[in-house]
């Protein structure tokens, strides 16, 4: 019975468990990539592209009643309002100078070389996000899909992806079976080492969370040093 368990049942269970773990890992990775892609797309379409367009149009001379400049300033401030944290401080001040020039300080002198440097930085971000979203994968290129060689290359990419899944499954199965082997053979040193390898990622994650918690508590303590909570604590002491 024990021989059947070792030879047949244990490998099947290890294979099934490792396959489920592999699917979970790839599903988590795909979910993370989807979140990243959505954020990259949001930044490209709601911030960097509008910022590049309207930072140029705000330099246009006023036409008629000046509605074109009002429109440019409105769109520029809308793009900037929720995304100012994405701009380095020097480029942020350049954009603010453009807004000032177009609104309350028309006599203000602007260094166009500095403005062009900021616009070059913004366009660089557009190029990077455009590559990450659409050019890194040839599936978004109509010309590639129209070429005869496109289909074989797609099959090669699919085969490479399948190979990655199988390789990951094999490594996980080998690692899990190694743990089963140590436990079934009563290998104390191997079991301790195996357990340590399993606990190590959890330990590192726990330390990271503890450090984040400590920083949050310190931030709140500094913020409330002279705030409402400090006043309440002072009043409580006085009443006591």
């Amino acid at each position: 019975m024990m021989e059947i368990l070792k030879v047949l049942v244990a490998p099947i269970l290890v294979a099934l468990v490792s396959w489920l773990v592999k699917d979970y890992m790839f599903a988590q990775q795909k979910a993370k990539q989807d979140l990243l892609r959505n954020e990259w797309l949001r930044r490209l379409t709601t911030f960097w592209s509008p910022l590049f367009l309207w930072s140029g149009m705000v330099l246009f001379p006023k036409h008629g009643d000046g509605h074109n400049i009002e429109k440019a300033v409105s769109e520029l401030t809308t793009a900037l309002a929720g995304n100012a944290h994405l701009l380095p401080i020097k480029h942020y001040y350049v954009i603010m100078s453009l807004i000032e020039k177009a609104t309350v300080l028309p006599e203000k002198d602007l260094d166009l070389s500095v403005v062009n440097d900021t616009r070059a930085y913004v366009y660089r971000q557009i190029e990077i996000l455009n590559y990450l979203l659409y050019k890194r994968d040839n599936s978004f290129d109509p010309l590639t899909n129209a070429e005869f060689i496109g289909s074989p290359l797609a099959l090669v990419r699919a085969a490479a992806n399948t190979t990655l899944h199988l390789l990951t499954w094999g490594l996980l199965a080998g690692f899990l079976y190694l743990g089963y082997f140590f436990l079934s053979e009563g290998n104390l040193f191997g079991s301790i080492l195996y357990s340590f390898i399993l606990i190590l990622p959890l330990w590192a994650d726990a330390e990271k969370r503890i450090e984040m918690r400590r920083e949050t508590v310190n931030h709140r303590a500094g913020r409330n040093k002279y705030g409402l909570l400090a006043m309440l604590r002072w009043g409580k002491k006085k009443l006591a």
Side-chain angles (χ1 to χ4, degrees):
M1 185 65 180
M2 290 300 297
E3 290 298 323
I4 295 177
L5 182 64
K6 287 184 178 181
V7 175
L8 186 62
V9 178
I12 292 176
L13 289 177
V14 166
L16 289 175
V17 171
S18 58
W19 184 268
L20 293 176
V21 173
K22 185 270 298 179
D23 281 349
Y24 176 78
M25 291 172 57
F26 277 94
Q28 291 296 309
Q29 183 65 22
K30 184 179 184 305
K32 182 179 179 180
Q33 287 297 321
D34 289 341
L35 287 174
L36 284 173
R37 181 177 175 80
N38 291 336
E39 176 59 19
W40 291 339
L41 183 62
R42 185 197 69 80
R43 293 184 181 188
L44 178 64
T45 57
T46 67
F47 182 55
W48 294 115
S49 293
L51 188 65
F52 184 75
L53 171 65
W54 298 109
S55 63
M57 295 192 68
V58 78
L59 292 171
F60 288 3
K62 289 186 178 181
H63 177 71
D65 59 358
H67 179 69
N68 61 319
I69 297 300
E70 292 179 3
K71 171 70 173 176
V73 170
S74 175
E75 295 290 345
L76 192 58
T77 52
T78 298
L80 193 62
N83 301 279
H85 61 286
L86 298 177
L87 268 178
I89 189 67
K90 68 173 185 177
H91 296 309
Y92 172 81
Y93 282 130
V94 171
I95 299 298
M96 294 305 297
S97 296
L98 288 175
I99 296 174
E100 290 175 349
K101 174 71 174 177
T103 54
V104 296
L105 295 174
E107 71 282 356
K108 182 175 183 176
D109 293 330
L110 286 177
D111 186 349
L112 289 182
S113 64
V114 176
V115 175
N116 290 334
D117 180 59
T118 293
R119 285 172 51 77
Y121 173 83
V122 172
Y123 194 75
R124 179 59 178 159
Q125 306 308 308
I126 293 174
E127 288 181 321
I128 292 172
L129 290 176
N130 188 47
Y131 171 77
L132 291 174
L133 287 167
Y134 303 114
K135 292 186 176 180
R136 184 171 57 175
D137 185 354
N138 292 330
S139 300
F140 289 95
D141 186 358
L143 183 61
T144 301
N145 286 281
E147 292 176 346
F148 172 76
I149 198 173
S151 297
L153 287 177
L155 290 175
V156 170
R157 287 194 295 270
N161 187 52
T162 302
T163 302
L164 179 61
H165 278 254
L166 292 176
L167 182 61
T168 304
W169 177 38
L171 291 174
L172 286 172
F175 182 73
L176 291 177
Y177 190 81
L178 183 63
Y180 166 76
F181 173 79
F182 285 144
L183 291 175
S184 63
E185 296 295 327
N187 189 322
L188 182 60
F189 176 77
S191 299
I192 294 175
L193 181 61
Y194 188 85
S195 300
F196 179 76
I197 294 174
L198 286 177
I199 294 173
L200 191 60
L202 300 177
W203 187 8
D205 183 67
E207 283 192 339
K208 182 178 179 180
R209 292 177 182 273
I210 291 171
E211 181 62 26
M212 292 171 62
R213 173 66 178 174
R214 185 182 298 114
E215 291 179 358
T216 302
V217 171
N218 292 339
H219 173 72
R220 289 178 179 175
R223 185 184 62 185
N224 294 322
K225 185 176 181 181
Y226 301 105
L228 179 60
L229 291 179
M231 294 176 63
L232 291 175
R233 286 193 293 267
W234 177 82
K236 184 178 179 181
K237 289 181 180 178
K238 288 296 184 182
L239 291 175

